[in-house]
Amino acid sequence: MVQLHEMILRDAHQSMLATRMRTEDMLPISEKLDQVGFFAMEVWGGATFDVAIRYLNQDPWERIRKLKKAMPNTPMQMLERAMNIVAYRNFPDDVVKKFVYLAKKNGVDYFRIFDALNDLRNMEIPMKAVKENGGHVQACLSYTISPVHTVDYFVSRFKELERMGTDSLCIKDMAGMISPQRAYDIIKGVKDAGIKIPIVLHSHSTSGMTGMAYQRAVEAGIDVLDTAMSPISGGTAAPATESVVAALQGTKWDTGYDLKLLINIRKYFLKIWDKYRHLHRFNALKVDPSVTLHQVPGGMLSNLIFQLEEQGAHDKYREILDEIEKVRDELGYPPLVTPTSQVVGVQAVMNVLHGRYKVITKETKDYCKGMYGKPPAPIKPEIMKKVLGPKWKDEVVDCRPSDLLKPMWEKRKSELKEHGVKMTDENIMTYALYPQVGLKFLKGEAVAEFTSDKLPLPADHALIRGMVKQSFPEFKQVWIETESPENRSGPAQIPTEFEVEVDGEPFEVKVNPVGGFLVAGADRAAAQEKPKDVEGGVKSSMQGTVLSVKVKKGDKVKNGDVIVTVEAMKMEQEIKSDVAGEVKDIFVSEGDSVASGDLLMQVL
Ligand code: CO
């Protein structure tokens, strides 16, 4: 018998609906889902935590409590990013342990734990914590294709994970590119090695061969397959649950699930799919075999397209995909999954926009230093030199990265006290994981995003900005102003009703300009009449939000000093002065958005 692990409440909507499914979409169908008899339901972790507090104004802790109560017969599973927990960077041990304790207490039964680099040292602490709290550990290896990721590589690491005490194993094929033969060889290898605990295959339909890979995995003795209910399946999501159930019916691998019950559940999720129709993307529904070459997971691809649009560089898409392949090889073949997918992706964008390794992100530096863990293969000295400088050897650490971090829990706790929010352990954890976004949420300042039944949108919504750009290509930027730009040259006020095409279909869009006038123009900074250039002007090399200004008026700076940090493409980027002298004037402050080429300060 093969069992299924159902993904619709986590990975499926993360892959196809930008993780926007809400608690109230899940609860009405929970009782029925609970009757199926799934191996487990993945309902928590991954990006769901971040998105719930950032875009949905929902408490993720409340969600897991309610789901656990509504599905008492099915194990509740979460995806845990080892020392990154449900965020994008390493946390110290005390926070990881506390998180596991709280997750278990609030309703998580199974913890699927993965490390982007398959550095088992990063998995030890969360694995131990799960065991100590009475949970089920499902240790996971990130799947990738490279000269070092052989069948032996996976089998020997799975053996090691079994020795470390995991209750089950999982191959995490996040990009959906595992081939039928490869799936067969790895599963067969695991079984032949005498590993007795259950093994799960997690994949996505992206490459078009996943159904075949699932069949071969079944033949090799797989215990559990990851699937998602059909309304949010296929394409960049997992293969459809009902299809796999039907395919195995009457064979010795029959799941024994009630197909009628599943079809009933399907009807419910068709309505949920429609509730988020503004997030549907035809590309995400299609097969894309090129994933086997560039290896970029579907979620990262759509992110990349959006980020390139922001940087005004969407014409560089193909070039960047090729560069991602190159950078990945040069950095020692890291599997592309959060957070290494961002490290490689953003560095590739920088390489294409500014020349190879001319601009190096803080994250690439950290990666090369070993701050994410040990890269699967050694990085060549010439790349290390480019990234870390001639003394690169002194910068590399070989300990477990979190050993370098100081305990953080008590510090975050006393910080949060100052803000007058309710001091529960769950709230402190939300704040520890996401200090800015978490605090905004806890203070009640987060605003829930719209759904398709709530269109039209407020004018400053990213979707509207994108649509306006599409309808008025002559305007490069769109923004909101409190005053009409009528009497100024350059920017123009945009009409509030227009038609756009989405994937070839015309849409009538009505904009509701909340808080001002919708304005478009060639260059927002110029339109707002900031100085464009001055003598000794230092400009931003990228589009983003100013995180901090590192100097003040009167400071002396050298060529190469960091003067401003900017958050661009979800990462912190340093902007360095390309001149030496005294800071005469500063034109930006924390929180400002800057475009590439905007004037930051004057240094003379
Ligand atoms: Co996945």
Side-chain angles (χ1 to χ4, degrees):
M1 191 185 82
V2 167
Q3 284 182 284
L4 301 185
H5 172 231
E6 175 57 47
M7 307 293 294
I8 188 132
L9 301 185
R10 207 284 297 173
D11 193 320
H13 69 102
Q14 185 173 328
S15 298
M16 281 193 169
L17 298 176
T19 332
R20 296 302 203 270
M21 208 194 279
R22 294 158 201 233
T23 311
E24 66 262 29
D25 302 327
M26 304 176 182
L27 290 171
I29 198 67
S30 292
E31 197 191 326
K32 284 205 173 102
L33 284 167
D34 196 35
Q35 291 165 16
V36 177
F38 290 119
F39 173 77
M41 288 280 307
E42 191 163 81
V43 296
W44 218 58
T48 61
F49 197 101
D50 181 5
V51 171
I53 57 171
R54 196 184 291 264
Y55 299 114
L56 307 178
N57 191 24
Q58 290 203 323
D59 188 352
W61 301 100
E62 187 185 309
R63 177 182 298 176
I64 182 63
R65 283 194 298 274
K66 286 187 169 166
L67 289 174
K68 174 70 189 164
K69 206 168 155 216
M71 293 183 273
N73 304 305
T74 310
M76 296 288 102
Q77 178 164 305
M78 77 162 292
L79 181 67
E80 204 271 347
R81 298 167 175 159
M83 299 311 287
N84 293 321
I85 312 183
V86 288
Y88 309 95
R89 61 193 176 88
N90 281 325
F91 287 89
D93 294 356
D94 66 331
V95 176
V96 175
K97 287 179 191 164
K98 190 83 176 184
F99 176 86
V100 169
Y101 162 76
L102 289 173
K104 179 73 177 70
K105 183 180 148 207
N106 279 276
V108 175
D109 303 298
Y110 287 15
F111 292 74
R112 177 177 284 178
I113 300 171
F114 80 97
D115 176 64
L117 295 172
N118 295 327
D119 187 334
L120 305 190
R121 296 173 307 170
N122 289 334
M123 296 167 73
E124 237 176 275
I125 292 286
M127 283 176 72
K128 257 196 201 149
V130 173
K131 295 308 290 179
E132 277 163 20
N133 288 288
H136 173 116
V137 180
Q138 183 171 102
C140 210
L141 290 178
S142 309
Y143 178 75
T144 190
I145 304 169
S146 93
V148 289
H149 293 87
T150 59
V151 171
D152 260 8
Y153 169 99
F154 289 106
V155 174
S156 63
R157 271 175 179 68
F158 277 135
K159 263 175 119 170
E160 179 61 16
L161 288 166
E162 188 188 37
R163 201 194 55 77
M164 285 164 69
T166 187
D167 299 290
S168 58
L169 297 167
C170 172
I171 306 170
K172 181 179 169 62
D173 174 25
M174 56 278 169
M177 60 189 177
I178 199 164
S179 73
Q181 193 59 41
R182 204 60 180 161
Y184 184 88
D185 290 343
I186 295 174
I187 312 290
K188 184 84 173 33
V190 164
K191 296 292 175 184
D192 287 350
I195 294 172
K196 292 276 181 294
I197 50 175
I199 180 156
V200 185
L201 176 56
H202 170 84
S203 188
H204 294 247
S205 301
T206 322
S207 70
M209 33 179 191
T210 313
M212 292 159 80
Y214 273 20
Q215 176 63 30
R216 291 292 277 154
V218 164
E219 289 163 14
I222 195 89
D223 300 281
V224 183
L225 292 168
D226 273 15
T227 58
M229 289 298 302
S230 57
I232 318 183
S233 74
T236 52
T241 304
E242 306 93 297
S243 311
V244 175
V245 168
L248 297 179
Q249 255 179 2
T251 71
K252 62 176 173 177
W253 304 293
D254 199 329
T255 60
Y257 300 162
D258 180 353
L259 202 50
K260 273 207 183 114
L261 171 64
L262 289 170
I263 297 298
N264 219 315
I265 297 170
R266 171 185 148 85
K267 284 182 201 147
Y268 175 82
F269 281 111
L270 283 171
K271 282 187 277 176
I272 299 300
W273 174 245
D274 195 49
K275 181 176 172 185
Y276 298 98
R277 59 187 176 276
H278 63 284
L279 297 169
H280 297 179
R281 293 291 178 274
F282 280 9
N283 276 342
L285 299 168
K286 281 182 186 165
V287 156
D288 179 7
S290 70
V291 68
T292 55
L293 298 178
H294 60 65
Q295 306 204 18
V296 178
M300 180 185 167
L301 274 183
S302 47
N303 242 329
L304 186 69
I305 294 170
F306 184 69
Q307 289 166 346
L308 286 178
E309 279 170 7
E310 267 193 341
Q311 301 286 332
H314 48 281
D315 53 322
K316 301 259 177 17
Y317 179 64
R318 280 282 137 203
E319 208 181 321
I320 284 164
L321 278 186
D322 292 343
E323 182 64 19
I324 287 177
E325 220 181 310
K326 260 193 229 162
V327 172
R328 191 187 87 104
D329 290 1
E330 286 164 345
L331 294 185
Y333 311 107
L336 298 181
V337 63
T338 307
T340 46
S341 49
Q342 272 303 101
V343 176
V344 172
V346 175
Q347 190 57 54
V349 172
M350 292 298 143
N351 286 0
V352 169
L353 297 186
H354 305 286
R356 303 204 80 224
Y357 298 103
K358 287 279 185 304
V359 174
I360 291 160
T361 66
K362 183 180 173 293
E363 282 77 8
T364 303
K365 281 185 194 165
D366 283 350
Y367 173 89
C368 289
K369 284 179 191 168
M371 303 296 275
Y372 288 83
K374 202 169 173 226
I379 304 169
K380 288 198 186 85
E382 63 259 35
I383 299 294
M384 291 296 269
K385 220 161 136 186
K386 273 185 192 156
V387 173
L388 297 175
K391 289 193 179 152
W392 62 270
K393 276 187 188 148
D394 302 343
E395 304 230 16
V396 176
V397 299
D398 50 350
C399 63
R400 187 183 65 108
S402 287
D403 283 338
L404 300 166
L405 302 174
K406 288 200 195 80
M408 190 198 260
W409 179 258
E410 291 301 328
K411 185 169 167 265
R412 290 290 187 236
K413 190 172 164 180
S414 58
E415 279 170 20
L416 189 60
K417 261 190 200 144
E418 318 262 296
H419 293 284
V421 307
K422 205 174 161 211
M423 292 298 285
T424 63
D425 278 359
E426 287 79 3
N427 282 353
I428 300 167
M429 184 56 74
T430 300
Y431 172 69
L433 293 168
Y434 287 99
Q436 283 100 26
V437 179
L439 186 61
K440 207 172 153 194
F441 167 76
L442 294 170
K443 283 166 122 179
E445 291 166 7
V447 183
E449 205 187 56
F450 65 97
T451 55
S452 286
D453 20 7
K454 298 274 158 59
L455 289 164
L457 312 173
D460 58 345
H461 192 270
L463 194 70
I464 291 295
R465 289 205 300 268
M467 285 175 170
V468 172
K469 274 191 210 175
Q470 194 190 332
S471 299
F472 305 96
E474 67 274 27
F475 300 130
K476 291 221 159 35
Q477 293 182 11
V478 181
W479 65 93
I480 297 279
E481 278 186 11
T482 45
E483 277 170 46
S484 164
E486 257 170 76
N487 302 321
R488 270 190 287 145
S489 63
Q493 196 180 324
I494 288 287
T496 50
E497 279 179 46
F498 53 97
E499 197 182 275
V500 289
E501 269 193 18
V502 177
D503 290 323
E505 268 190 67
F507 268 85
E508 291 240 344
V509 181
K510 222 177 173 178
V511 184
N512 170 22
V514 181
F517 299 87
L518 188 61
V519 175
D523 183 343
R524 178 180 186 172
Q528 289 173 334
E529 284 157 46
K530 275 188 194 166
K532 265 210 109 156
D533 206 358
V534 290
E535 196 195 344
V538 181
K539 292 178 180 175
S540 176
S541 49
M542 55 200 87
Q543 186 273 349
T545 308
V546 175
L547 283 178
S548 62
V549 179
K550 299 281 185 197
V551 292
K552 44 189 196 311
K553 267 191 209 177
D555 281 359
K556 294 259 191 297
V557 294
K558 294 192 299 294
N559 196 338
D561 281 358
V562 178
I563 49 168
V564 168
T565 60
V566 173
E567 192 198 66
M569 297 180 276
K570 279 197 202 159
M571 293 205 160
E572 191 180 326
Q573 322 267 7
E574 294 175 336
I575 295 182
K576 294 172 182 166
S577 175
D578 46 8
V579 287
E582 191 186 307
V583 178
K584 295 284 183 200
D585 207 350
I586 298 176
F587 305 113
V588 290
S589 46
E590 261 178 53
D592 281 2
S593 355
V594 290
S596 177
D598 276 7
L599 199 56
L600 300 172
M601 54 186 71
Q602 185 182 33
V603 178
L604 281 174

